[in-house]
Amino acid sequence: MATFDVLLPVRNGMAFFPQSLDSIRAQTFRDWRLLVLDHGSIDGSLELARDYARRDARIEVHSFPRAHGLSGLLNCGLELCEGKYVLRQDADDISRPRRMQVLLDALEADRELILVGSRGTVINAAGDSIGMLDMPTGPCGVVASTPFRSPVMHPTVAMRLDALRRLGARYGEDFVGAMPRHKRLSVPGLAEDYFLFGQLALLGRCENIAADLIEYRWHASNVSVLRYVDQMEMALRISRYLCESLALMHGTEAFDPAPFCNHGMNLFAVDGQEDFAREFAHMRASLEAALGPSSDLRREMAYRRTLADRRVPVMAARYAAFAPLHGVRLTEWRTVRSWLFRRVRKQRILTLTPSGLNA
């Protein structure tokens, strides 16, 4: 039984798949088992994985062409896991050589930690650096940001397998169980990682470490590019669902996080409304009651306050006051910038109406 079981789903990923496989084989920490989960590839990805498996006994190839969405595929992988930790890898991303060792050190140092993620570098199809993955850090950073965005990047994480089994955690399924059964959400794809990690954050210790451990590839075939509106709609549904679950868990008042969400580093326009001061005060009181005081929550609320007034001069002034006190995070700045310069840059802003999101 290996220390890490690595779940690597692939479907027609030949363009970048060899680099991804090579980056796992190049890890300085050697006690791992790589589970390639093929989802019906027809471009040679399955054959390539089998060739790697013939040359390295630590690699296993499993084919699940009829798995229901990415959630179903990853759940098939979870059922195969036997190691102490589950590590995720995508077929187009690259793990830095010390990734496993750094994540292992973090998990071994804190036995209460269910999940650990990291930061990373964003690369394009050619492998050139084009940005950074700037995730919330701090002991409560993940749970404080969970209502508003995916709190960790999926291909950066490692999770404690016994905790997943104890919690009944699976991709795409509600395992918190606070919502009535007839209202429970199912997420077969698009944002299955956000649904899993958001629930884990509500139930236990999850943290991102301030280390650059992966190269996350951004290209024209990313789901975030091909199905942007669908993904934003699902992400908003998950945000609302997690907030309602949190309120039920702690007996606090529910709130709508929609005006303060920055999925995809963009804000939603809300039927022409500009001032969300009343909604912000209600949200802050609810989160403070449910999560308790922490410096991470105070910082998160200070940032969300900058988004609570959509008038350009007000938002600009608030962010200018916020940044020197709390530091600049790329995701936060890009969210503010996307709104301030949306007309100049012709930014794609979605409008939230009673019937849903409209492009």
Side-chain angles (χ1 to χ4, degrees):
M1 184 173 68
T3 301
F4 282 103
D5 277 332
V6 184
L7 297 185
L8 196 164
V10 62
R11 184 173 186 174
N12 298 332
M14 277 297 287
F16 310 112
F17 195 23
Q19 295 175 63
S20 181
L21 292 169
D22 289 340
S23 75
I24 295 297
R25 297 187 71 208
Q27 291 295 300
T28 58
F29 184 80
R30 309 295 293 170
D31 186 23
W32 51 263
R33 179 177 63 145
L34 174 58
L35 301 171
V36 177
L37 310 174
D38 183 73
H39 203 195
S41 295
I42 57 173
D43 70 338
S45 296
L46 178 58
E47 290 75 18
L48 176 73
R50 287 171 173 164
D51 181 59
Y52 269 75
R54 282 191 289 270
R55 292 184 280 123
D56 191 329
R58 296 171 298 177
I59 299 175
E60 297 181 9
V61 182
H62 300 269
S63 185
F64 301 101
R66 294 181 178 83
H68 181 51
L70 184 55
S71 289
L73 183 67
L74 290 169
N75 286 334
C76 289
L78 283 178
E79 291 169 4
L80 296 170
C81 288
E82 300 172 346
K84 189 173 184 180
Y85 304 114
V86 179
L87 185 135
R88 276 285 287 111
Q89 173 83 4
D90 279 344
D92 50 2
D93 298 334
I94 298 171
S95 288
R96 296 275 170 82
R98 282 185 47 79
R99 180 187 171 204
M100 286 189 194
Q101 185 63 62
V102 173
L103 295 180
L104 177 66
D105 291 345
L107 287 161
E108 293 289 304
D110 184 351
R111 299 304 174 93
E112 297 300 314
L113 201 58
I114 296 174
L115 173 152
V116 61
S118 75
R119 294 175 173 174
T121 301
V122 183
I123 60 175
N124 62 17
D128 302 318
S129 175
I130 57 173
M132 296 294 296
L133 292 178
D134 192 9
M135 295 291 106
T137 55
C140 300
V142 168
V143 69
S145 65
T146 286
F148 313 109
R149 56 174 289 198
S150 183
V152 294
M153 283 298 294
H154 199 179
T156 73
V157 305
M159 299 172 282
R160 200 177 296 273
L161 182 60
D162 62 354
L164 298 182
R165 296 264 164 86
R166 172 171 49 83
L167 296 171
R170 289 170 61 84
Y171 283 94
E173 300 176 11
D174 180 335
F175 53 90
V176 168
M179 295 284 279
R181 191 170 296 276
H182 70 280
K183 292 179 64 177
R184 289 184 185 172
L185 182 63
S186 176
V187 183
L190 295 178
E192 71 292 327
D193 51 343
Y194 179 27
F195 196 37
L196 174 69
F197 304 149
Q199 291 183 85
L200 289 176
L202 299 187
L203 294 171
R205 288 259 298 111
C206 300
E207 191 170 341
N208 290 309
I209 55 176
D212 185 352
L213 300 181
I214 74 157
E215 295 178 14
Y216 173 77
R217 199 179 301 271
W218 181 262
H219 54 91
S221 297
N222 283 103
V223 171
S224 300
V225 176
L226 297 176
R227 299 187 63 186
Y228 175 75
V229 177
D230 291 339
Q231 189 173 57
M232 293 302 99
E233 183 102 48
M234 179 58 76
L236 177 56
R237 288 183 65 194
I238 293 170
S239 285
R240 286 171 158 170
Y241 191 89
L242 291 172
C243 289
E244 192 171 350
S245 295
L246 179 66
L248 290 169
M249 289 168 65
H250 294 275
T252 56
E253 286 194 47
F255 65 90
D256 185 2
F260 310 100
C261 288
N262 60 326
H263 298 297
M265 293 182 286
N266 285 309
L267 299 174
F268 301 130
V270 186
D271 267 349
Q273 185 175 348
E274 292 186 315
D275 185 359
F276 297 95
R278 182 180 300 176
E279 291 86 348
F280 172 77
H282 175 59
M283 175 190 71
R284 181 174 62 184
S286 181
L287 284 176
E288 288 174 349
L291 301 179
S294 72
S295 59
D296 293 319
L297 182 59
R298 285 192 296 274
R299 186 194 187 282
E300 192 68 39
M301 291 299 96
Y303 175 67
R304 299 299 153 184
R305 182 178 175 274
T306 69
L307 311 179
D309 195 311
R310 302 299 177 82
R311 291 171 293 181
V312 168
V314 178
M315 186 183 292
R318 285 184 175 180
Y319 185 75
F322 166 86
L325 289 174
H326 300 282
V328 176
R329 290 180 180 170
L330 189 59
T331 300
E332 294 171 344
W333 161 237
R334 284 186 172 177
T335 298
V336 171
R337 184 182 66 181
S338 73
W339 185 264
L340 297 182
F341 301 106
R342 65 193 186 281
R343 294 185 176 90
V344 176
R345 298 166 61 90
K346 297 181 180 179
Q347 191 75 29
R348 190 180 190 184
I349 301 294
L350 302 180
T351 300
L352 181 61
T353 68
S355 62
L357 288 179
N358 296 322

